[in-house]
Tab-separated table of all heavy atoms in Angstrom:
chain	number	residue	atom	x	y	z
F	20	SER	N	-36.216	-12.877	7.406
F	20	SER	CA	-35.737	-11.798	8.304
F	20	SER	C	-34.323	-12.121	8.813
F	20	SER	O	-33.974	-13.287	9.016
F	20	SER	CB	-36.666	-11.664	9.484
F	20	SER	OG	-37.937	-11.176	9.093
F	21	ILE	N	-33.592	-11.060	9.021
F	21	ILE	CA	-32.265	-11.133	9.652
F	21	ILE	C	-32.305	-10.236	10.895
F	21	ILE	O	-32.858	-9.110	10.831
F	21	ILE	CB	-31.161	-10.637	8.691
F	21	ILE	CG1	-31.231	-11.355	7.364
F	21	ILE	CG2	-29.787	-10.824	9.335
F	21	ILE	CD1	-30.281	-10.751	6.326
F	22	LYS	N	-31.695	-10.751	11.976
F	22	LYS	CA	-31.702	-9.959	13.213
F	22	LYS	C	-30.320	-9.521	13.595
F	22	LYS	O	-29.323	-10.221	13.322
F	22	LYS	CB	-32.286	-10.797	14.342
F	22	LYS	CG	-33.774	-11.158	14.102
F	22	LYS	CD	-34.350	-11.825	15.309
F	22	LYS	CE	-35.868	-12.076	15.091
F	22	LYS	NZ	-36.510	-12.684	16.267
F	23	CYS	N	-30.214	-8.385	14.230
F	23	CYS	CA	-28.924	-7.839	14.674
F	23	CYS	C	-29.095	-7.232	16.078
F	23	CYS	O	-30.106	-6.589	16.375
F	23	CYS	CB	-28.494	-6.739	13.704
F	23	CYS	SG	-26.930	-5.936	14.167
F	24	GLU	N	-28.087	-7.464	16.872
F	24	GLU	CA	-28.062	-6.878	18.248
F	24	GLU	C	-26.660	-6.396	18.529
F	24	GLU	O	-25.666	-7.019	18.186
F	24	GLU	CB	-28.443	-7.969	19.258
F	24	GLU	CG	-28.359	-7.495	20.697
F	24	GLU	CD	-28.737	-8.604	21.690
F	24	GLU	OE1	-29.037	-9.725	21.254
F	24	GLU	OE2	-28.719	-8.337	22.893
F	25	GLN	N	-26.578	-5.233	19.202
F	25	GLN	CA	-25.279	-4.732	19.634
F	25	GLN	C	-25.329	-4.454	21.145
F	25	GLN	O	-26.331	-3.953	21.655
F	25	GLN	CB	-24.849	-3.493	18.823
F	25	GLN	CG	-25.829	-2.341	18.819
F	25	GLN	CD	-25.603	-1.282	19.863
F	25	GLN	OE1	-24.623	-1.331	20.607
F	25	GLN	NE2	-26.476	-0.313	19.913
F	26	ASN	N	-24.216	-4.783	21.812
F	26	ASN	CA	-24.123	-4.565	23.260
F	26	ASN	C	-23.076	-3.520	23.589
F	26	ASN	O	-22.507	-3.508	24.678
F	26	ASN	CB	-23.869	-5.872	23.987
F	26	ASN	CG	-22.528	-6.533	23.604
F	26	ASN	OD1	-21.729	-5.906	22.882
F	26	ASN	ND2	-22.284	-7.722	24.077
F	27	LEU	N	-22.825	-2.623	22.637
F	27	LEU	CA	-21.806	-1.564	22.825
F	27	LEU	C	-22.390	-0.289	23.393
F	27	LEU	O	-21.667	0.659	23.668
F	27	LEU	CB	-21.169	-1.271	21.481
F	27	LEU	CG	-20.351	-2.428	20.862
F	27	LEU	CD1	-20.017	-2.144	19.414
F	27	LEU	CD2	-19.111	-2.697	21.664
F	28	GLY	N	-23.716	-0.262	23.539
F	28	GLY	CA	-24.342	0.956	24.024
F	28	GLY	C	-24.395	2.057	22.991
F	28	GLY	O	-24.573	3.249	23.300
F	29	HIS	N	-24.239	1.694	21.711
F	29	HIS	CA	-24.262	2.672	20.624
F	29	HIS	C	-25.669	3.131	20.297
F	29	HIS	O	-26.645	2.435	20.552
F	29	HIS	CB	-23.612	2.090	19.363
F	29	HIS	CG	-22.151	1.896	19.470
F	29	HIS	ND1	-21.408	1.211	18.520
F	29	HIS	CD2	-21.261	2.351	20.380
F	29	HIS	CE1	-20.145	1.238	18.857
F	29	HIS	NE2	-20.019	1.921	19.969
F	30	ASP	N	-25.735	4.366	19.750
F	30	ASP	CA	-27.069	4.932	19.400
F	30	ASP	C	-27.438	4.711	17.932
F	30	ASP	O	-28.583	4.887	17.578
F	30	ASP	CB	-27.032	6.440	19.658
F	30	ASP	CG	-27.099	6.763	21.140
F	30	ASP	OD1	-27.440	5.861	21.923
F	30	ASP	OD2	-26.827	7.906	21.519
F	31	THR	N	-26.442	4.380	17.102
F	31	THR	CA	-26.711	4.289	15.659
F	31	THR	C	-26.374	2.899	15.132
F	31	THR	O	-25.329	2.363	15.469
F	31	THR	CB	-25.871	5.380	14.918
F	31	THR	OG1	-26.168	6.661	15.496
F	31	THR	CG2	-26.263	5.420	13.449
F	32	MET	N	-27.260	2.385	14.297
F	32	MET	CA	-27.046	1.066	13.708
F	32	MET	C	-27.291	1.146	12.228
F	32	MET	O	-28.041	2.008	11.736
F	32	MET	CB	-27.954	0.019	14.369
F	32	MET	CG	-27.672	-0.187	15.819
F	32	MET	SD	-28.627	-1.490	16.614
F	32	MET	CE	-27.905	-2.975	15.888
F	33	TYR	N	-26.707	0.188	11.474
F	33	TYR	CA	-26.708	0.232	10.027
F	33	TYR	C	-26.946	-1.172	9.415
F	33	TYR	O	-26.575	-2.165	10.081
F	33	TYR	CB	-25.347	0.705	9.492
F	33	TYR	CG	-24.819	1.970	10.102
F	33	TYR	CD1	-24.154	1.938	11.338
F	33	TYR	CD2	-24.946	3.200	9.442
F	33	TYR	CE1	-23.662	3.092	11.907
F	33	TYR	CE2	-24.423	4.350	10.020
F	33	TYR	CZ	-23.806	4.298	11.244
F	33	TYR	OH	-23.291	5.430	11.816
F	34	TRP	N	-27.480	-1.218	8.212
F	34	TRP	CA	-27.453	-2.404	7.413
F	34	TRP	C	-26.694	-2.072	6.143
F	34	TRP	O	-26.916	-1.056	5.485
F	34	TRP	CB	-28.873	-2.854	7.005
F	34	TRP	CG	-29.536	-3.656	8.074
F	34	TRP	CD1	-30.638	-3.328	8.770
F	34	TRP	CD2	-29.186	-4.955	8.544
F	34	TRP	NE1	-30.970	-4.301	9.653
F	34	TRP	CE2	-30.086	-5.319	9.520
F	34	TRP	CE3	-28.140	-5.848	8.201
F	34	TRP	CZ2	-30.019	-6.550	10.201
F	34	TRP	CZ3	-28.072	-7.048	8.868
F	34	TRP	CH2	-29.004	-7.399	9.851
F	35	TYR	N	-25.750	-2.971	5.821
F	35	TYR	CA	-24.986	-2.902	4.588
F	35	TYR	C	-25.223	-4.156	3.768
F	35	TYR	O	-25.450	-5.233	4.302
F	35	TYR	CB	-23.469	-2.803	4.866
F	35	TYR	CG	-22.990	-1.490	5.379
F	35	TYR	CD1	-22.970	-1.203	6.744
F	35	TYR	CD2	-22.493	-0.534	4.510
F	35	TYR	CE1	-22.503	0.033	7.203
F	35	TYR	CE2	-22.006	0.684	4.970
F	35	TYR	CZ	-22.023	0.937	6.314
F	35	TYR	OH	-21.544	2.138	6.785
F	36	LYS	N	-25.080	-4.012	2.454
F	36	LYS	CA	-25.084	-5.137	1.523
F	36	LYS	C	-23.719	-5.242	0.854
F	36	LYS	O	-23.238	-4.207	0.326
F	36	LYS	CB	-26.203	-4.955	0.481
F	36	LYS	CG	-26.272	-6.112	-0.535
F	36	LYS	CD	-27.364	-5.869	-1.554
F	36	LYS	CE	-27.458	-6.996	-2.556
F	36	LYS	NZ	-28.534	-6.765	-3.572
F	37	GLN	N	-23.137	-6.425	0.881
F	37	GLN	CA	-21.874	-6.618	0.159
F	37	GLN	C	-22.152	-7.666	-0.924
F	37	GLN	O	-22.410	-8.825	-0.661
F	37	GLN	CB	-20.766	-7.119	1.109
F	37	GLN	CG	-19.409	-7.129	0.453
F	37	GLN	CD	-18.260	-7.337	1.445
F	37	GLN	OE1	-18.333	-8.240	2.287
F	37	GLN	NE2	-17.219	-6.558	1.318
F	38	ASP	N	-21.998	-7.205	-2.154
F	38	ASP	CA	-22.322	-8.088	-3.282
F	38	ASP	C	-21.129	-8.981	-3.641
F	38	ASP	O	-20.101	-8.981	-2.984
F	38	ASP	CB	-22.775	-7.262	-4.474
F	38	ASP	CG	-21.730	-6.262	-4.931
F	38	ASP	OD1	-20.514	-6.473	-4.690
F	38	ASP	OD2	-22.110	-5.212	-5.521
F	39	SER	N	-21.310	-9.724	-4.716
F	39	SER	CA	-20.285	-10.697	-5.121
F	39	SER	C	-18.969	-10.056	-5.463
F	39	SER	O	-17.914	-10.695	-5.447
F	39	SER	CB	-20.785	-11.539	-6.301
F	39	SER	OG	-21.126	-10.689	-7.380
F	40	LYS	N	-18.996	-8.784	-5.838
F	40	LYS	CA	-17.778	-8.050	-6.149
F	40	LYS	C	-17.185	-7.387	-4.910
F	40	LYS	O	-16.255	-6.587	-5.016
F	40	LYS	CB	-18.037	-6.984	-7.227
F	40	LYS	CG	-18.457	-7.604	-8.544
F	40	LYS	CD	-18.645	-6.569	-9.630
F	40	LYS	CE	-19.032	-7.210	-10.942
F	40	LYS	NZ	-19.256	-6.222	-11.991
F	41	LYS	N	-17.746	-7.731	-3.751
F	41	LYS	CA	-17.218	-7.259	-2.447
F	41	LYS	C	-17.456	-5.814	-2.185
F	41	LYS	O	-16.879	-5.251	-1.261
F	41	LYS	CB	-15.727	-7.591	-2.310
F	41	LYS	CG	-15.362	-9.030	-2.590
F	41	LYS	CD	-16.069	-9.964	-1.675
F	41	LYS	CE	-15.657	-11.402	-1.927
F	41	LYS	NZ	-16.469	-12.362	-1.148
F	42	PHE	N	-18.345	-5.185	-2.965
F	42	PHE	CA	-18.606	-3.760	-2.719
F	42	PHE	C	-19.592	-3.619	-1.563
F	42	PHE	O	-20.688	-4.193	-1.588
F	42	PHE	CB	-19.172	-3.118	-3.961
F	42	PHE	CG	-19.363	-1.616	-3.877
F	42	PHE	CD1	-18.428	-0.825	-3.244
F	42	PHE	CD2	-20.493	-1.011	-4.439
F	42	PHE	CE1	-18.592	0.529	-3.167
F	42	PHE	CE2	-20.654	0.329	-4.345
F	42	PHE	CZ	-19.715	1.121	-3.710
F	43	LEU	N	-19.204	-2.854	-0.537
F	43	LEU	CA	-19.992	-2.695	0.691
F	43	LEU	C	-20.832	-1.423	0.535
F	43	LEU	O	-20.285	-0.323	0.486
F	43	LEU	CB	-19.039	-2.603	1.848
F	43	LEU	CG	-19.538	-2.806	3.256
F	43	LEU	CD1	-20.124	-4.203	3.416
F	43	LEU	CD2	-18.407	-2.580	4.242
F	44	LYS	N	-22.163	-1.568	0.526
F	44	LYS	CA	-23.007	-0.429	0.294
F	44	LYS	C	-24.017	-0.239	1.396
F	44	LYS	O	-24.698	-1.183	1.798
F	44	LYS	CB	-23.690	-0.567	-1.055
F	44	LYS	CG	-24.455	0.675	-1.469
F	44	LYS	CD	-24.895	0.624	-2.920
F	44	LYS	CE	-25.605	1.964	-3.234
F	44	LYS	NZ	-26.249	1.966	-4.502
F	45	ILE	N	-24.161	0.988	1.879
F	45	ILE	CA	-25.109	1.289	2.908
F	45	ILE	C	-26.524	1.100	2.416
F	45	ILE	O	-26.873	1.464	1.266
F	45	ILE	CB	-24.918	2.743	3.456
F	45	ILE	CG1	-25.878	3.038	4.623
F	45	ILE	CG2	-25.121	3.752	2.356
F	45	ILE	CD1	-25.404	2.462	5.939
F	46	MET	N	-27.396	0.529	3.260
F	46	MET	CA	-28.794	0.365	2.919
F	46	MET	C	-29.664	1.294	3.799
F	46	MET	O	-30.432	2.070	3.327
F	46	MET	CB	-29.259	-1.092	3.081
F	46	MET	CG	-28.528	-2.084	2.229
F	46	MET	SD	-28.977	-3.757	2.633
F	46	MET	CE	-30.693	-3.820	2.113
F	47	PHE	N	-29.496	1.077	5.113
F	47	PHE	CA	-30.310	1.836	6.087
F	47	PHE	C	-29.456	2.202	7.267
F	47	PHE	O	-28.466	1.542	7.593
F	47	PHE	CB	-31.492	0.972	6.615
F	47	PHE	CG	-32.429	0.458	5.563
F	47	PHE	CD1	-32.352	-0.870	5.143
F	47	PHE	CD2	-33.369	1.312	5.008
F	47	PHE	CE1	-33.230	-1.350	4.189
F	47	PHE	CE2	-34.259	0.817	4.060
F	47	PHE	CZ	-34.172	-0.498	3.642
F	48	SER	N	-29.914	3.254	7.961
F	48	SER	CA	-29.354	3.562	9.243
F	48	SER	C	-30.415	4.057	10.184
F	48	SER	O	-31.329	4.795	9.780
F	48	SER	CB	-28.248	4.627	9.098
F	48	SER	OG	-27.741	4.980	10.390
F	49	TYR	N	-30.306	3.675	11.445
F	49	TYR	CA	-31.216	4.086	12.499
F	49	TYR	C	-30.414	4.760	13.595
F	49	TYR	O	-29.329	4.300	13.965
F	49	TYR	CB	-32.005	2.899	13.130
F	49	TYR	CG	-33.232	2.514	12.389
F	49	TYR	CD1	-33.195	1.846	11.182
F	49	TYR	CD2	-34.466	2.814	12.940
F	49	TYR	CE1	-34.354	1.518	10.522
F	49	TYR	CE2	-35.648	2.456	12.309
F	49	TYR	CZ	-35.594	1.802	11.098
F	49	TYR	OH	-36.732	1.450	10.437
F	50	ASN	N	-30.984	5.823	14.134
F	50	ASN	CA	-30.412	6.463	15.304
F	50	ASN	C	-31.474	6.553	16.369
F	50	ASN	O	-32.521	7.149	16.171
F	50	ASN	CB	-29.895	7.885	14.951
F	50	ASN	CG	-29.361	8.617	16.178
F	50	ASN	OD1	-30.006	9.484	16.752
F	50	ASN	ND2	-28.148	8.283	16.566
F	51	ASN	N	-31.220	5.893	17.509
F	51	ASN	CA	-32.187	5.858	18.572
F	51	ASN	C	-33.600	5.490	18.066
F	51	ASN	O	-34.574	6.155	18.350
F	51	ASN	CB	-32.260	7.182	19.333
F	51	ASN	CG	-31.198	7.309	20.371
F	51	ASN	OD1	-30.890	6.337	21.054
F	51	ASN	ND2	-30.579	8.478	20.464
F	52	LYS	N	-33.651	4.408	17.323
F	52	LYS	CA	-34.885	3.806	16.772
F	52	LYS	C	-35.478	4.630	15.644
F	52	LYS	O	-36.542	4.253	15.124
F	52	LYS	CB	-35.926	3.587	17.870
F	52	LYS	CG	-35.485	2.739	19.033
F	52	LYS	CD	-36.643	2.313	19.926
F	52	LYS	CE	-37.266	3.513	20.575
F	52	LYS	NZ	-38.473	3.117	21.370
F	53	GLU	N	-34.890	5.732	15.234
F	53	GLU	CA	-35.437	6.543	14.161
F	53	GLU	C	-34.677	6.298	12.884
F	53	GLU	O	-33.406	6.352	12.864
F	53	GLU	CB	-35.354	8.007	14.528
F	53	GLU	CG	-35.898	8.944	13.435
F	53	GLU	CD	-35.604	10.394	13.751
F	53	GLU	OE1	-35.172	10.712	14.894
F	53	GLU	OE2	-35.756	11.221	12.840
F	54	LEU	N	-35.375	6.034	11.771
F	54	LEU	CA	-34.737	5.830	10.484
F	54	LEU	C	-34.166	7.149	10.001
F	54	LEU	O	-34.871	8.138	9.846
F	54	LEU	CB	-35.766	5.325	9.456
F	54	LEU	CG	-35.258	5.046	8.057
F	54	LEU	CD1	-34.221	3.932	8.033
F	54	LEU	CD2	-36.415	4.737	7.122
F	55	ILE	N	-32.856	7.182	9.737
F	55	ILE	CA	-32.245	8.432	9.279
F	55	ILE	C	-31.620	8.300	7.889
F	55	ILE	O	-31.381	9.292	7.218
F	55	ILE	CB	-31.125	8.926	10.284
F	55	ILE	CG1	-30.032	7.891	10.458
F	55	ILE	CG2	-31.761	9.295	11.585
F	55	ILE	CD1	-28.842	8.383	11.237
F	56	ILE	N	-31.336	7.096	7.474
F	56	ILE	CA	-30.778	6.867	6.118
F	56	ILE	C	-31.521	5.738	5.444
F	56	ILE	O	-31.668	4.659	6.017
F	56	ILE	CB	-29.288	6.554	6.187
F	56	ILE	CG1	-28.472	7.747	6.714
F	56	ILE	CG2	-28.737	6.171	4.795
F	56	ILE	CD1	-26.985	7.434	6.930
F	57	ASN	N	-31.994	6.017	4.232
F	57	ASN	CA	-32.697	4.982	3.417
F	57	ASN	C	-32.172	5.176	2.009
F	57	ASN	O	-32.631	6.093	1.329
F	57	ASN	CB	-34.180	5.172	3.507
F	57	ASN	CG	-34.923	4.129	2.736
F	57	ASN	OD1	-34.371	3.446	1.895
F	57	ASN	ND2	-36.195	3.962	3.010
F	58	GLU	N	-31.198	4.353	1.629
F	58	GLU	CA	-30.484	4.601	0.406
F	58	GLU	C	-31.065	3.857	-0.803
F	58	GLU	O	-30.584	2.815	-1.180
F	58	GLU	CB	-28.999	4.279	0.569
F	58	GLU	CG	-28.243	5.323	1.359
F	58	GLU	CD	-28.182	6.659	0.612
F	58	GLU	OE1	-27.441	6.761	-0.357
F	58	GLU	OE2	-28.917	7.578	1.045
Side-chain angles (χ1 to χ4, degrees):
Chain F
S20 292
I21 306 171
K22 296 186 175 183
C23 178
E24 177 181 0
Q25 55 94 4
N26 63 7
L27 296 167
H29 289 170
D30 286 345
T31 306
M32 296 184 72
Y33 310 81
W34 278 113
Y35 285 88
K36 179 181 181 180
Q37 189 170 46
D38 59 26
S39 57
K40 296 183 179 179
K41 307 300 183 187
F42 186 40
L43 197 60
K44 188 168 183 189
I45 184 79
M46 298 174 68
F47 301 103
S48 177
Y49 272 75
N50 177 258
N51 277 320
K52 303 192 297 176
E53 178 189 350
L54 179 66
I55 59 171
I56 295 174
N57 182 343
E58 284 295 286

